[in-house]
Amino acid sequence: MEGSTQPRCDVDDYEIRPSPDKGLGAFAVKEIPSGSLILAESPTIILMQEPLSIRDADIEAALLTLSPFQRDSFHALSAPPTQYESELQRKFLGNSMSPSAIPGSTCLCLRIARFNHSCRPNSEMAWNPFTRTFDLYAIRTIERGEEILWNYVPGSNYMPKSYRQFVQFLNWRFVCNCEFCEGMTAEWRIRNDRTRERMYLLQKSLQGFELSALGLDAIAARGIDVESTWKPGELEAILENLWQPPTELPDELKDMDVREQFHAYNELAAITEAGCIIGKELAMAGICVVNAATRQSGLVENDDEVKLVDEHMAMAMRTIYASRPRSGPDVQAFEGKREDWETLREAIVLVLDYESGIRNTTDHEDMQDENL
Ligand SMILES: [Zn+2]
């Protein structure tokens, strides 16, 4: 059950090569099984500074500590045309991450910087405090030739497409063309957007999760000059259909008692899975069902409900097992049965605690939290 059972990729199992419309990207050169550790990378540069305080001199000083090869690799990175003044800042901040595991830091990993974004990722990033590395796991089987992608935007599972696109465009100046954004049929995308809005409302009611309103005010707050940043018509197209997070909850989600909350968590887990959203959010949805079921004794007595919770627990275990270090508590040994709910819940929460969350330096929360 320890790390030895976990498939692990060699650097030869994927290659960095051009990706259509995205510069370079990482592609599997052979099938990568779900749960594989694709790579574990120590940050090449760690600056103990918040992104907005980082100046050219800070980056230049850090570059002096690198080998010539690393410096060349850094200079070969793309510099997304964000609001930062210099090319050096755009290059560094457009490719770096702020792990909450290292508070107040901004980190750059030269290899991970080559992996592109998708709203339907096949891999997930986790911080491993034991090895002090960013670990990238396959959260489903990745076919030979498929691009390896992870989700840059935390919380984006609760955002309909227009909101995701606005956040991505504001931060990195790209328009995502993943399966969720441009693939499938138009009807499917409309249904998927409705699912995400419902997920948002459920999360808002159950966990107090909030997204900020976006639009021209958000752009102005960042000091971005619209005229020089967007091509004519480009911004209008994004603003025209921009979804705004509802501020009011529907009546049925207000002031819920523990039974109603249990049902709401079940709905959240079911629609997360039905919406093809895998990874941490799916695991958390499953764990929340078990949390709700065990909050009060006798809350779940009905056999069908017990079975449902068993299923959600088993799903959470499979999911978490695929995307986290396997050196932690042995969650695989449990079968997801009622007598194990409590033990499993504790074990999985511990696994999740290994990772303290990763936030991209330019994520949308900066706009409200850091007074840009
Ligand atoms: Zn997308």
Side-chain angles (χ1 to χ4, degrees):
M1 291 309 135
E2 293 297 313
S4 59
T5 60
Q6 186 154 32
R8 191 180 170 124
C9 289
D10 286 330
V11 284
D12 296 341
D13 292 349
Y14 62 89
E15 62 182 357
I16 308 296
R17 61 175 163 88
S19 174
D21 305 325
K22 296 181 199 158
L24 295 176
F27 291 81
V29 297
K30 59 182 234 188
E31 184 183 284
I32 298 177
S34 176
S36 301
L37 177 61
I38 298 168
L39 88 163
E41 185 177 13
S42 305
T44 317
I45 296 175
I46 304 179
L47 292 182
M48 292 311 293
Q49 287 171 262
E50 292 290 343
L52 289 171
S53 71
I54 294 172
R55 299 285 170 263
D56 280 6
D58 305 314
I59 303 166
E60 279 159 4
L63 289 174
L64 285 176
T65 67
L66 304 187
S67 69
F69 175 78
Q70 287 173 317
R71 268 201 296 278
D72 288 348
S73 302
F74 172 81
H75 288 298
L77 293 175
S78 65
T82 47
Q83 81 270 26
Y84 297 107
E85 276 171 20
S86 75
E87 163 100 4
L88 210 50
Q89 282 175 311
R90 290 195 292 273
K91 193 162 283 214
F92 182 77
L93 293 165
N95 290 288
S96 60
M97 296 180 286
S98 283
S100 43
I102 315 174
S105 72
T106 305
C107 300
L108 180 82
C109 296
L110 284 170
R111 207 156 179 85
I112 286 171
R114 290 301 184 194
F115 288 71
N116 290 316
H117 162 88
S118 172
C119 311
R120 190 182 193 184
N122 49 25
S123 67
E124 194 165 276
M125 191 78 74
W127 170 255
N128 186 332
F130 299 109
T131 51
R132 299 189 66 74
T133 52
F134 288 102
D135 295 354
L136 189 70
Y137 291 92
I139 52 175
R140 63 173 168 75
T141 300
I142 302 174
E143 307 294 334
R144 188 161 77 97
E146 196 180 339
E147 184 166 7
I148 304 169
L149 302 158
W150 65 290
N151 190 340
Y152 289 2
V153 187
S156 67
N157 288 326
Y158 313 120
M159 303 171 185
K161 173 186 157 182
S162 65
Y163 193 97
R164 294 198 303 276
Q165 285 197 332
F166 189 95
V167 173
Q168 291 153 1
F169 210 71
L170 202 56
N171 291 322
W172 301 280
R173 301 296 186 270
F174 71 76
V175 175
C176 183
N177 61 0
C178 75
E179 279 172 279
F180 277 165
C181 290
E182 296 304 328
M184 316 292 189
T185 62
E187 293 75 30
W188 186 94
R189 291 200 299 267
I190 291 167
R191 270 202 313 278
N192 191 261
D193 274 359
R194 286 198 196 116
T195 299
R196 286 166 195 268
E197 179 166 312
R198 180 70 181 168
M199 287 170 71
Y200 173 71
L201 289 169
L202 286 162
Q203 275 291 9
K204 186 178 165 75
S205 168
L206 293 164
Q207 314 268 24
F209 180 83
E210 291 274 2
L211 288 170
S212 50
L214 289 186
L216 285 170
D217 289 350
I219 296 171
R222 281 207 154 188
I224 296 173
D225 175 31
V226 172
E227 306 252 313
S228 62
T229 305
W230 278 278
K231 296 183 195 123
E234 212 168 27
L235 180 62
E236 287 74 9
I238 291 179
L239 285 177
E240 197 178 336
N241 300 308
L242 182 60
W243 174 84
Q244 295 291 355
T247 48
E248 269 291 302
L249 288 170
D251 285 346
E252 88 269 13
L253 297 182
K254 284 181 187 160
D255 305 320
M256 291 187 286
D257 63 23
V258 283
R259 269 299 290 172
E260 289 165 334
Q261 284 178 359
F262 170 67
H263 285 302
Y265 276 119
N266 268 299
E267 182 190 346
L268 181 63
I271 64 177
T272 303
E273 200 167 17
C276 305
I277 293 159
I278 55 177
K280 186 179 173 184
E281 273 83 4
L282 183 56
M284 286 310 292
I287 294 165
C288 285
V289 169
V290 182
N291 263 334
T294 53
R295 192 169 303 153
Q296 187 176 306
S297 74
L299 183 72
V300 179
E301 288 298 344
N302 167 327
D303 283 351
D304 286 344
E305 287 181 356
V306 170
K307 191 160 167 273
L308 199 61
V309 180
D310 282 349
E311 284 169 8
H312 284 313
M313 193 77 236
M315 177 274 297
M317 286 162 52
R318 284 196 304 275
T319 307
I320 206 66
Y321 201 67
S323 62
R324 290 296 179 279
R326 293 200 185 168
S327 52
D330 182 8
V331 292
Q332 203 187 38
F334 300 100
E335 289 177 16
K337 293 296 175 206
R338 187 181 194 184
E339 51 275 22
D340 290 329
W341 286 352
E342 277 292 349
T343 324
L344 277 169
R345 186 170 61 84
E346 284 163 21
I348 292 182
V349 168
L350 265 177
V351 174
L352 283 172
D353 279 352
Y354 284 172
E355 171 213 357
S356 304
I358 298 165
R359 170 171 80 87
N360 219 298
T361 52
T362 45
D363 85 33
H364 68 285
E365 285 165 357
D366 293 349
M367 289 185 290
Q368 57 193 37
D369 293 340
E370 291 173 16
N371 248 346
L372 289 189

